[in-house]
Amino acid sequence: MHREGANPENVALEDVLCDFCGEASWAAGAPCVEGHRGSLICGVCLTSAWRAVSSGSISEETDEPCTLCLENREDLRWRGLRVEANACLRCVKQAAGVLHKSKDWDWVKPERP
Ligand SMILES: [Zn+2]
Ligand SMILES: [Zn+2]
């Protein structure tokens, strides 16, 4: 998501915020994974999402498209602090895989709680 008041013609790194908490940004040096159309999930949210997914504690189904892939998949969804955003199971797994493998960050998939 873009920070309120960001210039859509010239979006700066610090104007791109995590869609799920609305706080972490690229510019702050947080581990982040990009989705479609400027959507973003940060490492902190991904940790919560991954925990929820791996412990089987997500159960929500919705007709809203997933914030990250923009697809309306028949998949369970995870929500963070910002209830406007949701991530489908596939995106959580993909993003966790990307961040886990990335050499730029020391983020690893959290163990099962
Ligand atoms: Zn976040
Ligand atoms: Zn998705």
Side-chain angles (χ1 to χ4, degrees), residues 60-110:
E60 183 180 341
E61 295 176 49
T62 176
D63 293 332
E64 294 166 39
C66 163
T67 304
L68 292 171
C69 65
L70 308 176
E71 288 176 35
N72 189 356
R73 294 168 53 82
E74 285 186 29
D75 224 351
L76 295 174
R77 308 304 178 91
W78 174 82
R79 276 182 212 270
L81 291 175
R82 294 183 68 252
V83 293
E84 303 94 304
N86 78 81
C88 71
L89 211 57
R90 183 185 63 167
C91 284
V92 171
K93 287 180 180 166
Q94 265 181 8
V98 167
L99 216 52
H100 190 81
K101 282 193 220 113
S102 168
K103 292 181 177 63
D104 297 336
W105 314 108
D106 56 6
W107 191 91
V108 290
K109 287 177 187 170

Side-chain angles (χ1 to χ4, degrees), residues 18 20-21 24 42 45:
C18 170
F20 298 88
C21 62
C42 75
C45 289

Side-chain angles (χ1 to χ4, degrees), residues 51-64:
R51 282 217 174 97
V53 166
S54 60
S55 66
S57 65
I58 61 168
S59 56
E60 183 180 341
E61 295 176 49
T62 176
D63 293 332
E64 294 166 39

Side-chain angles (χ1 to χ4, degrees), residues 16-57:
V16 185
L17 304 175
C18 170
D19 281 86
F20 298 88
C21 62
E23 286 179 15
S25 73
W26 282 122
C32 292
V33 181
E34 257 181 314
H36 287 277
R37 274 203 222 138
S39 61
L40 201 70
I41 183 166
C42 75
V44 175
C45 289
L46 199 51
T47 298
S48 311
W50 179 258
R51 282 217 174 97
V53 166
S54 60
S55 66
S57 65

